[in-house]
Amino acid sequence: MPTEVTILGISGAVWLLLLLAICSAVFAWRMSALLRVLAMGRRENRLDHPVLRAWTFLKEVICQSRMLTGESIINWAHPAIFWGFCFFVIASALMFVGGIAAPWLWIPQVEEIPVLGTLVDLFAVIVLVGLIASSIRRYILTPPGLQRTMDATIVVLLIAALMVSFLLAEAGGYADEVWCHAPASVGMSENAEKSESCPRERGHGTQTFLPAGTATAYVMLAAGVSPEGVVNVGVTAWWVHVAILLTFLVYLPFSKHMHLIWAPFAVFFAELPAKGTLPAADDSGKEPSTQLGLFTWRMLLSGYACAECGRCERVCPAVESGSKLSPREILHDLKSLVLKDGIATLKGRKPDDDGREFIGGTVPAEAIWACTSCYACVDICPVRNEHVPIIVQMRRKLVDEGKVDAKLQETLMSLQRYGNSQGKSARKRFDWAKDLPGGLKDATKEPVDMLWFLGDYAAYHPSSARVSRLVALVFNQAGIDFGVLAKGEKSAGNDVRRIGEEGLFEMLAEQNMKALGKADFQRIVTTDPHTYHTLKHEYSRFGLETPVVHYSEVLDECLRTGKLSPKRSLEGKAVYHDPCYLGRYNGIYDPPRRVIDATGLERVEMPRNRENSFCCGAGGGKIWMEEEEGISERPAVSRIREALQIDGVTHFVVSCPKDLGMFEDAVKTVGAEDRLRIIDLGELVYEAIGMEEV
Amino acid sequence: MSAQDILVLAEVNQDAVADITFELLGGARELAGATGGQVVAVLLGHDVAKHAESLSAADRLIVIDDEQLADFSPAPYLAVLESLVGSEGPRAVLAGSTTIGLDVAPMLGAKLNAPVVNACQQVAVEGDLLKITAAICGGKVLAEVEVSASPAVLLILPGSFRPTEETGAATVESRPSPVELHRGAVTFEKMILPAPGDVDITQQDVLVAVGRGIQQEDNMKVAEELAAVLGGELAASRPIIDQGWLPTTRQVGKSGMIVKPKCFIALGVSGAPEHVEGMKDSELIIAVNTDPGAPIFDVADYGVVADLLDVAPALTEAIK
Amino acid sequence: MNIAVVVRQVPDLVEPLEIDASGAALDVDEVEFLINETDDHALEQALLLKESGGGSITVVAIDFGQVDDVLYTAAAKGADRIVKIPYDDDDRPPRPAEAAAMIAEAVKDIDAELVLVGSSAHDELEGVLAPLLALKLELPYLGVIRGVKPGEGGSVTAFKEFPGAAMAQMNVKLPAVLGILAADQPPRYVPVSRIRAAMKSTEFEEKETAAAVPEPNVTVLRMHHPEPSGRAEMLTGSEDEVAARLAEILKEKGVVQ
């Protein structure tokens, strides 16, 4: 072993032990500090669903599934480097143990272990190729949102040096063997006396196939380096390799690449099982002692785990529309805060933040308000960071301080007062059904199978309320026994939660639960994906246990079972826009598509469809806010342009009351209202089953 | 001087008689016609006699000139009016529901133990009674009230009466203040005028508002030309502001400006509730829209189902 | 500065306004009440003054309608004391003169240097509360104010609205009553969690008043809703015909000469 040397009169093994001990101590000290900082976050249980967590870990960390399904043509590079890293952890461990034990005991090194040795050897090359590929991407192609930082450069160079030094050390270990077996053509046979001892007693190993190491030795010998030279270089390279490893050990927990340590934990502690169910507000009434206390520990962990890959940036509708929001920047800022304030607090100092607030200062309020809560960033994040809950957490602070824009304030006041976001009298919630033949059943007066929970937009927005009436007629036609909460239905509060007005959300939920408690029904249906998500996932803590379905599922079922049958085949080419809260949040992609297919329309997909669907820009309460200054193009407009790229497209089908208004506006902005009809799924069915306007 | 006189509190703003004063004189003339009394205008201020001529609709104009009245402050105004109304003993005192009227009239009524009616829109004389229609609750409720005591102090909403062409005897009586005036607790320091910048659309008589129907920025000139011949200004609904074709100061609607011009021409404005809330109280509303079902036609007085790009230039020509 | 803020209930115009059986008053059972908008501004102005110069805020209200909600909200926003004046008649909101008499008695005990009250309310028919309150308190009054700044030597600077977006800067020696139209900033938002916390922690001080109530001298005969104005008169014809007709209308209405 290369530790069988004496440096300054002290055995190499002792040096190695000493260095390892020092570096490990630094590493441990830093890691414990980072962990104690995490503990400053709010508590949240992330140990539930252990099997699901283990499965997710296996899939996403070990198998790198999120990386492989990623966006880039070189998405193999990260798994290659990662798996290489895993193998090298074994190799390095053996190096240290073997090196330290060498004077007394021979510990087999990785290159002496068949198969594993070969794999490690090959991975050294694969990792190098991966590094080159990702460097080309980072430094030459540079996708938006990916930074060319010094940190990244250092890490790339260090990893490359690790691989090269490994190969050189390997070559050193095998140089004599290579030399012995080298064919004469290579011109290495002049040292005939050496051949007598071939093969040299190497000790304990077996013959392992090491193509890269052997090739390196060949190349060096062929280049005229003497076998002793190769061996000496190998010994030096071994020490260099060890030195880099130790450097890494110290450097990692201080650098951007700490994601390497934390990402697996971030994935294990991901938000499971349902997406986008925000943690309840801290109702302890205690002001957290540092700004960190505003976030849960898992949110703080996001900062550590973020690799700053910029994927979140590239899918963000706010970023595309030129907003100040940058989800990557928010995590980066959060990480800086965690490190600065957290470490300062550990040392018993006041955080040195120049009196600058993190929320609304470091992270500008405009950025915090620009989020539509579409969840595209969370969905694509390789380390399962939760940008949206973090943003909502920051909004909660702003709301608590009353820092909301005038339009939003008016909406919140309206919700407080009237239980709806539209500033309308609660008595007018069902005005759209005034002339409905047969009227609407009141589920609080007679039992119904299905309770229709309207939501504000379906009840009050002129276009959507018109659709509500058509959906009611279709439900009647299908013989569905349904009713409403004629008195007492309020906004379900999805957007209220995302605004960060948790107290108002709780108030609305309590009021709705009271009204629901008076009604007799088997399941809840709604046309509004926002309402759907909240009732389904966020009302359980208020005691709601009834199943919740979306009308697209009901229509799909009715069409499949023949309760509704199309009378005529509609003509045209339709695209379907997946609403965030139906698709990405709840995975309902196919029922609405089957409904469109049943109407006879030719269905085509927009480039961004299903989980990659592009938000209309209304969610998360964005629809209630004043437009941010400096917006280049609203997301809904960009979406309409995307649809118009498709040749001969005639119908833009939506299944969300907010979408209807958003896209009706956008298609007018584009000036394409003659070419592209924005139509709700319900109206589509209404037309297909041939109902006359009643 | 008679118990059938109608007394009008005249207002001068920035060295000009306020519009509301002409409206009050118009109303007062009708009332005086019914009671058989005279229209008495009262003008308080300093160096204001020069406005006498424009107040010729009154039979008598009482000008109280005092340095303490140079700039408005409630206490001296109240002191003068209390004495003056006490001695004149009119049937009614008409004050505008304005920044001055609202400060002075309610206290005047209380001091004289006289009935005060707020937000008056119509006033009629029926024998010994005054029958008044007041618009309360933001105009959503009309209250019909009667008062028998004299004088009645009435706060009149702007736009309730029409200015009159008639002239009265127009005798001018300049008097010193009937009571000694002191610098009270409230003193005027200075008038802050709006910075000269974009026009204030709430102050325009004619507004030409554009909506989505304008389609492109280039078409804005069609609306500009119409506004120019009408002597009005451009306003817009939200989408136009969003496009950045006009500054936000031109936005009409709940989240923009609430406007009540004499004439509001809506070009290609669909009439979303948000917008309607900001313009529904305009005196004359003309709407041009291609969609016959556009809600703007529910609030408009006159509607045209056509492309604004055809109608607006034609209208500009017709007016020229 | 010790500030008293008067808040009162007015009918919510978003809800339908029904007329009661007498035909001469709003049906209070059907009306939803909320804080008078200008009173909300008065409270905001008080909070701003307190924030800039310290002091305490006492909110005074007559117990009518859903006033408790308003008072808890005021407490959550930062009012220090809440004084509630009992009022017996559930069917009829107090007239401005009545309210002025009752509130004046309660305010006298507070020893406020500055009394802020909304300069008007949309349901005021027989007079206006703010100036009447000043008269009852025998304090100077200035109304229709958009913004108040602390001034020198026991005074404040108030900005009174004048037509044409002009404002008169006025010095007001305290004590005084100011009628607020708008605060320097729009009323702040107070989150529901804070209102709920205030509901638990706030105690109202009840203040019985024995004020002599002036007799009404205005008789309300009838209340009714204005006739809905019909749909637009639709003009048809070629664009030139339509334009000519419109030009005629504009001339008739005096828009163009």
Side-chain angles (χ1 to χ4, degrees):
Chain A
M1 287 299 290
T3 48
E4 293 161 275
V5 293
T6 307
I7 305 163
L8 301 174
I10 298 169
S11 149
V14 176
W15 277 111
L16 184 61
L17 183 63
L18 208 62
L19 286 173
L20 180 65
I22 293 170
C23 294
S24 299
V26 173
F27 178 80
W29 167 77
R30 174 69 173 176
M31 289 299 287
S32 100
L34 292 178
L35 279 171
R36 278 185 292 151
V37 170
L38 279 193
M40 291 176 194
R42 266 180 56 198
R43 277 157 200 280
E44 190 193 5
N45 180 20
R46 284 289 171 98
L47 283 170
D48 50 346
H49 306 282
V51 177
L52 188 54
R53 288 188 188 283
W55 169 243
T56 308
F57 187 84
L58 181 71
K59 206 170 58 175
E60 297 181 10
V61 178
I62 308 298
C63 299
Q64 295 273 294
S65 63
R66 284 203 168 207
M67 300 308 306
L68 285 167
T69 54
E71 43 176 12
S72 142
I73 47 158
I74 60 146
N75 56 16
W76 53 269
H78 188 275
I81 297 171
F82 170 79
W83 288 322
F85 169 84
C86 293
F87 284 114
F88 273 94
V89 166
I90 303 169
S92 305
L94 290 174
M95 278 172 91
F96 280 106
V97 177
I100 293 164
W104 309 281
L105 183 69
W106 179 263
I107 306 285
Q109 294 299 287
V110 77
E111 58 269 31
E112 291 163 318
I113 303 170
V115 186
L116 184 62
T118 310
L119 280 172
V120 172
D121 177 82
L122 287 174
F123 262 111
V125 179
I126 294 171
V127 168
L128 276 174
V129 176
L131 286 175
I132 292 167
S134 40
S135 297
I136 290 173
R137 175 161 177 271
R138 182 182 294 268
Y139 297 102
I140 299 170
L141 306 174
T142 320
L146 193 63
Q147 312 282 300
R148 297 186 219 174
T149 58
M150 183 61 116
D151 214 12
T153 312
I154 291 174
V155 167
V156 166
L157 290 176
L158 280 180
I159 298 176
L162 267 183
M163 296 304 115
V164 171
S165 59
F166 181 83
L167 289 175
L168 288 173
E170 231 183 21
Y174 291 82
D176 43 1
E177 195 177 325
V178 169
W179 183 75
C180 287
H181 298 287
S185 59
V186 183
M188 298 175 190
S189 51
E190 66 273 20
N191 286 339
E193 67 274 25
K194 269 269 174 189
S195 67
E196 286 159 22
S197 59
C198 287
R200 188 186 143 195
E201 172 59 53
R202 277 195 302 106
H204 321 268
T206 47
Q207 297 280 317
T208 308
F209 179 53
L210 302 168
T214 313
T216 308
Y218 263 113
V219 170
M220 290 176 75
L221 291 168
V225 183
S226 70
E228 288 83 2
V230 178
V231 170
N232 288 338
V233 167
V235 170
T236 313
W238 191 93
W239 279 102
V240 168
H241 187 84
V242 163
I244 296 172
L245 279 176
L246 293 174
T247 310
F248 241 119
L249 194 62
V250 174
Y251 176 70
L252 259 191
F254 290 91
S255 85
K256 161 200 143 138
H257 268 252
M258 70 162 82
H259 95 262
L260 203 136
I261 304 165
W262 297 103
F265 295 99
V267 173
F268 184 79
F269 294 119
E271 174 187 44
L272 293 170
K275 282 180 203 169
T277 53
L278 303 167
D282 179 15
D283 52 7
S284 65
K286 280 180 287 187
E287 281 284 312
S289 53
T290 70
Q291 298 194 71
L292 300 189
L294 294 169
F295 300 97
T296 67
W297 64 270
R298 176 59 186 83
M299 293 177 183
L300 300 182
L301 177 61
S302 302
Y304 295 170
C306 175
E308 304 193 17
C309 67
R311 285 184 179 204
C312 48
E313 200 90 343
R314 293 190 283 279
V315 295
C316 176
V319 170
E320 189 183 301
S321 63
S323 149
K324 284 197 185 67
L325 172 65
S326 152
R328 186 189 55 77
E329 198 77 20
I330 283 186
L331 285 192
H332 179 84
D333 290 340
L334 181 63
K335 180 180 185 174
S336 308
L337 173 85
V338 171
L339 292 178
K340 211 169 72 173
D341 278 23
I343 301 290
T345 309
L346 282 185
K347 290 179 180 165
R349 288 202 314 258
K350 271 224 153 281
D352 174 27
D353 47 15
D354 323 318
R356 195 171 187 205
E357 286 281 328
F358 178 70
I359 298 167
T362 312
V363 182
E366 295 96 318
I368 295 170
W369 291 120
C371 175
T372 67
S373 78
C374 78
Y375 241 62
C377 52
V378 183
D379 225 39
I380 200 144
C381 179
V383 301
R384 290 257 196 170
N385 276 338
E386 293 153 25
H387 313 61
V388 175
I390 290 171
I391 290 170
V392 169
Q393 204 57 35
M394 294 199 274
R395 288 179 173 185
R396 284 177 179 171
K397 174 93 185 317
L398 293 175
V399 168
D400 189 51
E401 292 166 351
K403 292 176 185 159
V404 292
D405 80 35
K407 195 173 159 198
L408 178 55
Q409 175 166 351
E410 199 180 303
T411 308
L412 293 175
M413 300 290 286
S414 164
L415 281 154
Q416 275 191 26
R417 183 157 181 84
Y418 311 113
N420 68 68
S421 55
Q422 309 292 302
K424 298 269 170 64
S425 169
R427 300 178 211 183
K428 296 185 173 167
R429 201 167 181 93
F430 295 97
D431 273 10
W432 55 270
K434 263 185 180 165
D435 61 345
L436 192 74
L440 277 178
K441 275 192 192 175
D442 182 352
T444 58
K445 298 233 170 80
E446 51 187 316
V448 293
D449 172 41
M450 206 145 64
L451 177 87
W452 185 359
F453 200 103
L454 258 290
D456 291 351
Y457 285 81
Y460 291 110
H461 187 279
S463 309
S464 300
R466 189 185 140 268
V467 167
S468 294
R469 191 172 161 276
L470 302 184
V471 170
L473 292 171
V474 170
F475 279 1
N476 278 338
Q477 179 74 19
I480 294 169
D481 174 30
F482 73 99
V484 297
L485 296 172
K487 276 183 191 144
E489 184 194 303
K490 312 248 162 156
S491 162
N494 177 306
D495 302 299
V496 176
R497 275 208 99 186
R498 269 92 206 149
I499 282 295
E501 213 329 2
E502 188 73 358
L504 179 54
F505 166 70
E506 285 169 1
M507 187 177 99
L508 291 169
E510 284 161 19
Q511 290 169 342
N512 279 323
M513 285 308 294
K514 209 168 143 194
L516 287 166
K518 289 182 195 150
D520 189 344
F521 57 94
Q522 303 308 312
R523 51 184 177 153
I524 296 177
V525 65
T526 178
T527 60
D528 177 18
H530 302 256
T531 299
Y532 170 83
H533 177 77
T534 285
L535 290 180
K536 186 165 181 159
H537 302 294
E538 298 178 326
Y539 267 48
S540 53
R541 73 171 150 123
F542 302 97
L544 186 66
E545 287 162 354
T546 333
V548 183
V549 293
H550 188 246
Y551 79 132
S552 62
E553 297 173 287
V554 174
L555 293 177
D556 177 40
E557 189 193 304
C558 289
L559 285 163
R560 285 199 291 171
T561 56
K563 282 186 190 160
L564 289 173
S565 42
K567 293 256 173 1
R568 61 194 178 104
S569 183
L570 302 182
E571 279 177 21
K573 200 186 245 187
V575 291
Y576 172 68
H577 167 81
D578 287 286
C580 305
Y581 279 85
L582 192 64
R584 207 154 26 232
Y585 274 84
N586 285 293
I588 299 178
Y589 299 113
D590 295 319
R593 285 180 167 77
R594 282 196 293 266
V595 171
I596 296 172
D597 294 344
T599 65
L601 285 175
E602 181 195 347
R603 182 170 56 78
V604 286
E605 293 292 346
M606 288 185 275
R608 293 179 286 194
N609 62 68
R610 301 176 75 98
E611 44 277 278
N612 297 320
S613 178
F614 191 68
C615 179
C616 74
K622 198 70 199 121
I623 199 167
W624 303 333
M625 292 175 217
E626 287 159 14
E627 191 116 37
E628 186 186 344
E629 275 177 35
I631 293 299
S632 51
E633 182 168 271
R634 282 177 285 138
V637 174
S638 150
R639 187 65 162 160
I640 290 295
R641 292 196 204 283
E642 181 179 351
L644 290 170
Q645 295 291 311
I646 294 167
D647 225 17
V649 65
T650 52
H651 291 66
F652 188 99
V653 184
V654 297
S655 57
C656 166
K658 282 196 188 95
D659 278 338
L660 193 61
M662 291 299 285
F663 289 120
E664 278 179 348
D665 275 4
V667 81
K668 283 181 195 161
T669 302
V670 175
E673 58 262 56
D674 301 336
R675 283 161 60 200
L676 187 63
R677 183 174 172 206
I678 312 297
I679 184 166
D680 184 273
L681 200 65
E683 184 165 8
L684 209 58
V685 172
Y686 178 83
E687 288 183 4
I689 61 175
M691 293 184 74
E692 301 295 292
E693 266 289 351
V694 183
Chain B
M1 193 188 310
S2 107
Q4 298 305 328
D5 289 351
I6 308 295
L7 195 142
V8 169
L9 174 60
E11 285 183 33
V12 171
N13 274 319
Q14 288 165 47
D15 219 26
V17 175
D19 288 348
I20 180 78
T21 300
F22 298 118
E23 294 175 14
L24 295 182
L25 286 171
R29 279 244 69 88
E30 279 183 33
L31 290 174
T35 60
Q38 288 190 313
V39 175
V40 183
V42 177
L43 181 59
L44 312 188
H46 183 48
D47 201 14
V48 285
K50 59 190 171 197
H51 298 299
E53 207 175 314
S54 57
L55 298 170
S56 57
D59 297 308
R60 291 167 56 211
L61 172 64
I62 302 171
V63 180
I64 310 286
D65 196 309
D66 191 298
E67 263 186 36
Q68 295 295 340
L69 299 171
D71 294 294
F72 176 75
S73 166
Y77 262 58
L78 182 62
V80 172
L81 288 173
E82 186 186 350
S83 160
L84 198 67
V85 174
S87 61
E88 289 288 331
R91 176 84 180 266
V93 177
L94 306 187
S97 185
T98 62
T99 192
I100 290 175
L102 281 167
D103 271 18
V104 173
M107 290 200 278
L108 178 66
K111 288 264 191 187
L112 297 169
N113 205 17
V116 178
V117 184
N118 200 18
C120 304
Q121 253 185 355
Q122 293 165 32
V123 184
V125 178
E126 272 184 31
D128 289 343
L129 300 170
L130 286 181
K131 296 235 173 176
I132 299 149
T133 305
I136 58 169
C137 297
K140 289 202 166 183
V141 173
L142 297 181
E144 288 176 13
V145 305
E146 63 180 26
V147 290
S148 51
S150 284
V153 177
L154 309 180
L155 276 154
I156 312 290
L157 291 176
S160 300
F161 301 142
R162 282 168 173 259
T164 177
E165 303 280 300
E166 282 178 63
T167 52
T171 56
V172 180
E173 303 163 29
S174 281
R175 305 184 195 170
S177 172
V179 288
E180 201 180 324
L181 296 176
H182 304 284
R183 206 176 239 304
V186 179
T187 46
F188 174 88
E189 289 179 340
K190 63 177 177 192
M191 195 59 99
I192 303 165
L193 299 174
D198 194 41
V199 287
D200 179 359
I201 56 170
T202 63
Q203 301 298 317
Q204 299 296 323
D205 282 342
V206 178
L207 286 176
V208 176
V210 289
R212 280 202 186 92
I214 197 92
Q215 293 168 15
Q216 326 178 18
E217 193 168 8
D218 287 352
N219 296 338
M220 295 289 286
K221 60 179 181 292
V222 172
E224 273 165 29
E225 283 161 11
L226 178 59
V229 297
L230 290 170
E233 288 291 347
L234 278 189
S237 64
R238 200 190 131 110
I240 303 300
I241 308 295
D242 284 355
Q243 292 285 350
W245 297 347
L246 280 175
T248 47
T249 48
R250 306 286 184 122
Q251 185 181 337
V252 171
K254 199 166 155 192
S255 56
M257 306 285 182
I258 309 291
V259 297
K260 299 171 185 176
K262 291 206 168 67
C263 172
F264 187 94
I265 302 182
L267 300 177
V269 175
S270 65
E274 204 271 347
H275 179 77
V276 168
E277 203 160 310
M279 46 65 76
K280 63 180 189 318
D281 294 330
S282 308
E283 279 176 39
L284 171 68
I285 301 172
I286 296 170
V288 181
N289 201 301
T290 48
D291 176 10
I296 191 73
F297 292 128
D298 294 337
V299 289
D301 299 298
Y302 296 94
V304 182
V305 178
D307 191 339
L308 74 95
L309 297 175
D310 299 330
V311 176
L315 181 56
T316 308
E317 279 309 309
I319 293 165
K320 269 185 188 166
Chain C
M1 199 186 308
N2 198 359
I3 305 171
V5 179
V6 177
V7 298
R8 71 202 117 149
Q9 295 273 288
V10 293
D12 185 344
L13 301 184
V14 165
E15 305 288 353
L17 298 171
E18 302 297 332
I19 310 298
D20 73 4
S22 77
L26 291 175
D27 187 344
V28 170
D29 294 336
E30 293 294 314
V31 167
E32 302 283 337
F33 286 92
L34 83 175
I35 187 170
N36 176 35
E37 195 181 341
T38 58
D39 293 346
D40 204 9
H41 278 268
L43 174 61
E44 182 62 32
Q45 188 63 66
L47 292 165
L48 293 171
L49 286 169
K50 179 184 160 184
E51 279 162 9
S52 70
S56 92
I57 296 172
T58 307
V59 171
V60 183
I62 292 172
D63 189 4
F64 184 79
Q66 293 132 7
V67 79
D68 284 6
D69 294 348
V70 172
L71 296 177
Y72 285 127
T73 304
K77 285 182 177 182
D80 301 278
R81 283 174 63 198
I82 307 282
V83 174
K84 201 160 88 166
I85 304 166
Y87 177 76
D88 298 332
D89 198 340
D90 285 342
D91 299 331
R92 184 184 65 82
R95 286 173 287 113
E98 259 179 297
M102 292 165 73
I103 293 166
E105 268 206 34
V107 169
K108 266 176 194 156
D109 294 345
I110 294 166
D111 199 25
E113 292 145 87
L114 180 60
V115 180
L116 298 180
V117 54
S119 84
S120 59
H122 66 63
D123 66 339
E124 284 175 325
L125 178 61
E126 302 154 63
V128 180
L129 170 66
L132 295 179
L133 177 62
L135 209 59
K136 282 278 173 202
L137 288 168
E138 295 171 2
L139 290 176
Y141 176 74
L142 190 65
V144 198
I145 286 167
R146 289 183 168 273
V148 182
K149 298 263 186 284
E152 309 270 301
S155 73
V156 292
T157 304
F159 299 88
K160 181 172 171 62
E161 184 183 82
F162 274 88
M167 283 208 281
Q169 181 181 319
M170 315 278 279
N171 182 277
V172 181
K173 281 210 181 69
L174 302 183
V177 177
L178 296 181
I180 304 293
L181 180 66
D184 285 312
Q185 289 169 21
R188 64 197 60 194
Y189 183 72
V190 58
V192 170
S193 59
R194 287 191 184 252
I195 300 174
R196 286 188 161 189
M199 283 179 172
K200 290 191 192 122
S201 63
T202 309
E203 300 265 348
F204 296 153
E205 300 168 37
E206 297 259 327
K207 173 76 188 162
E208 290 275 356
T209 59
V213 172
E215 282 300 311
N217 48 14
V218 174
T219 313
V220 182
L221 303 171
R222 188 165 92 92
M223 283 196 188
H224 57 99
H225 298 290
E227 297 295 317
S229 55
R231 261 181 73 88
E233 181 185 334
M234 303 305 284
L235 309 179
T236 51
S238 75
E239 62 232 29
D240 287 329
E241 287 164 19
V242 167
R245 177 78 188 102
L246 283 176
E248 227 170 86
I249 292 164
L250 290 171
K251 203 162 210 168
E252 273 168 34
K253 305 276 177 182
V255 177
V256 288
Q257 262 72 49

